[in-house]
Amino acid sequence: MSKNFKKNLLSLILIFAMLFTFSGCATTNPNQSNSNNQTSQTTKTSDNSGKIKIGFSFETLNLERWQHDRDYFVQRAKELGADVLVQSANSDSQTQYSQCQNLIAQGIKVLVIIPHDGSAIAPIVEEAHKAGVKVLAYDRLIMNADVDAYVSFDNEKVGELQAEYITKLVPKGNYFLLEGSPTDNNAKLFEQGQKKVLQPLVDKGDIKIVGEQWAQDWLTQNAYNIMQNALTANNNKIDAVVDANDSTALGAIRALQEQNLAGKVAISGQDADLANCQLIVEGKQSMTVYKPVKEEATKGADVAIALAKGEDINANGKVNNGKIDVPSVLLTPVAVDKNNMVDTIIKDGFHSLDEVYKNVPKDQWPKQ
């Protein structure tokens, strides 16, 4: 074998080796193929599991009510083959916005939001849509945005039920209106419903509204402070309190108890929280508005899945949010007092008989 032949053969081997090396580098380029591999892996996982990923942003989980919603929603979503990522914003608008952005980045198909502030959260809807994510406003409406769907109760009806019940108990007298958080659109709807019932009686002269205040973030302590001040300003001469929900009713009742007025002043509520159901059967709170949470959460999960699949949500109404008429699924609330507690709250398994009547002598418990 000639020296030139060996030299040429070696050159060819080196050339082939270099070509092989460059070819190998092209298939393992960290800026390209790793990204492709991740996409393939994600697609493969999604195909194998068949699961839809839903993001659920709660304004807070400190309220008992929202803990029920979370549990029922997640349960129903799992039954339908979906995963739910839950975030709680602890009643902070900026935190909620950031958490929603984080959920979108995690590849969700639908973003479900209970807004702390229905206006402040509005821009997230456009961000979600740009990422191909549908947005469902749950229980509270998101304002001035192209929201895909809304699931809630007839919130104006809630206010009507509260005022109707209290005016039957106290057809004449001094009324104080303890409203919810001013950032919550639902609170405004409750007020509208209340005044629809109250205004004719005010015009007639039977009822005098001696004050109205809003409890920021629905906090019990805020309601307690408001009620204390209201009692002082009116020399305790308040006959009825139309209170927007149960967490604020707790604060109001604490202030009334300090003046030995608990059970003497009619007071409404909403959400059927356990502590308030106990107060109702003890005679310290007049009523609550029960919104069958399991029904709402189950329907919410159904709607979220339908949105993810591009299916009809079976809306039964539309609610205007200042920009569009949002396709809505609206459910019916129920007024509850000690007379129908067993047939509603307890029958539904929302709370047990033992829990509700724990502070009542056993010989006074109702028979089931």
Side-chain angles (χ1 to χ4, degrees), residues 182-215:
T183 60
D184 182 352
N185 186 65
N186 281 4
K188 297 167 187 174
L189 294 174
F190 302 148
E191 183 202 31
Q192 287 176 21
Q194 293 163 4
K195 289 186 174 177
K196 185 183 290 186
V197 175
L198 294 174
Q199 196 58 51
L201 297 172
V202 171
D203 295 341
K204 190 178 176 183
D206 289 345
I207 286 175
K208 180 181 179 181
I209 296 177
V210 296
E212 177 180 11
Q213 280 189 260
W214 300 73

Side-chain angles (χ1 to χ4, degrees), residues 228-271:
Q228 266 194 327
N229 293 335
L231 289 168
T232 299
N234 291 281
N235 297 314
N236 286 355
K237 292 180 180 178
I238 294 177
D239 302 299
V241 179
V242 180
D243 197 310
N245 89 329
D246 282 346
S247 63
T248 51
L250 286 178
I253 291 169
R254 179 151 58 95
L256 290 169
Q257 282 179 321
E258 292 176 354
Q259 302 300 320
N260 297 313
L261 292 172
K264 298 176 184 178
V265 175
I267 182 167
S268 63
Q270 176 199 177
D271 291 333

Side-chain angles (χ1 to χ4, degrees), residues 45-308:
T45 301
S46 178
D47 289 342
N48 285 344
S49 66
K51 288 188 175 181
I52 292 167
K53 192 184 291 185
I54 299 169
F56 201 145
S57 171
F58 283 79
E59 73 108 5
T60 182
L61 283 172
N62 291 328
L63 295 181
E64 178 187 314
R65 157 71 202 280
W66 298 132
Q67 296 168 24
H68 289 293
D69 288 81
R70 174 198 60 198
D71 295 344
Y72 288 131
F73 187 100
V74 171
Q75 178 184 342
R76 177 58 175 167
K78 285 184 177 179
E79 290 173 1
L80 297 173
D83 284 332
V84 183
L85 306 178
V86 175
Q87 293 279 321
S88 172
N90 295 318
S91 300
D92 183 84
S93 294
Q94 185 55 54
T95 298
Q96 184 165 46
Y97 201 98
S98 298
Q99 289 178 343
C100 286
Q101 289 179 315
N102 180 262
L103 288 169
I104 292 168
Q106 292 185 61
I108 58 172
K109 293 295 183 185
V110 180
L111 177 60
V112 184
I113 305 176
I114 300 172
H116 172 249
D117 184 326
S119 297
I121 200 65
I124 201 66
V125 177
E126 185 177 353
E127 287 190 38
H129 286 168
K130 286 179 179 177
V133 176
K134 297 292 182 69
V135 179
L136 166 62
Y138 183 91
D139 198 78
R140 299 176 180 176
L141 193 57
I142 298 171
M143 307 305 294
N144 299 304
D146 294 315
V147 182
D148 296 289
Y150 176 48
V151 173
S152 188
F153 286 86
D154 184 337
N155 291 306
E156 192 168 308
K157 182 64 177 178
V158 170
E160 291 177 23
L161 290 174
Q162 291 168 334
E164 285 169 357
Y165 191 98
I166 299 301
T167 53
K168 285 178 182 176
L169 278 183
V170 186
K172 295 183 179 182
N174 290 339
Y175 273 55
F176 186 83
L177 307 187
L178 182 45
E179 304 296 354
S181 183
T183 60
D184 182 352
N185 186 65
N186 281 4
K188 297 167 187 174
L189 294 174
F190 302 148
E191 183 202 31
Q192 287 176 21
Q194 293 163 4
K195 289 186 174 177
K196 185 183 290 186
V197 175
L198 294 174
Q199 196 58 51
L201 297 172
V202 171
D203 295 341
K204 190 178 176 183
D206 289 345
I207 286 175
K208 180 181 179 181
I209 296 177
V210 296
E212 177 180 11
Q213 280 189 260
W214 300 73
Q216 183 67 40
D217 295 334
W218 300 94
L219 293 177
T220 299
Q221 184 62 41
N222 290 344
Y224 168 73
N225 296 337
I226 289 169
M227 198 70 241
Q228 266 194 327
N229 293 335
L231 289 168
T232 299
N234 291 281
N235 297 314
N236 286 355
K237 292 180 180 178
I238 294 177
D239 302 299
V241 179
V242 180
D243 197 310
N245 89 329
D246 282 346
S247 63
T248 51
L250 286 178
I253 291 169
R254 179 151 58 95
L256 290 169
Q257 282 179 321
E258 292 176 354
Q259 302 300 320
N260 297 313
L261 292 172
K264 298 176 184 178
V265 175
I267 182 167
S268 63
Q270 176 199 177
D271 291 333
D273 287 348
L274 177 57
N276 300 81
C277 290
Q278 292 169 343
L279 289 171
I280 289 171
V281 299
E282 292 167 26
K284 296 176 183 177
Q285 180 170 327
S286 308
M287 62 85 75
T288 187
V289 177
Y290 173 47
K291 299 187 294 188
V293 172
K294 186 173 184 179
E295 182 182 359
E296 183 180 16
T298 299
K299 180 58 69 174
D302 289 345
V303 170
I305 298 297
L307 288 174

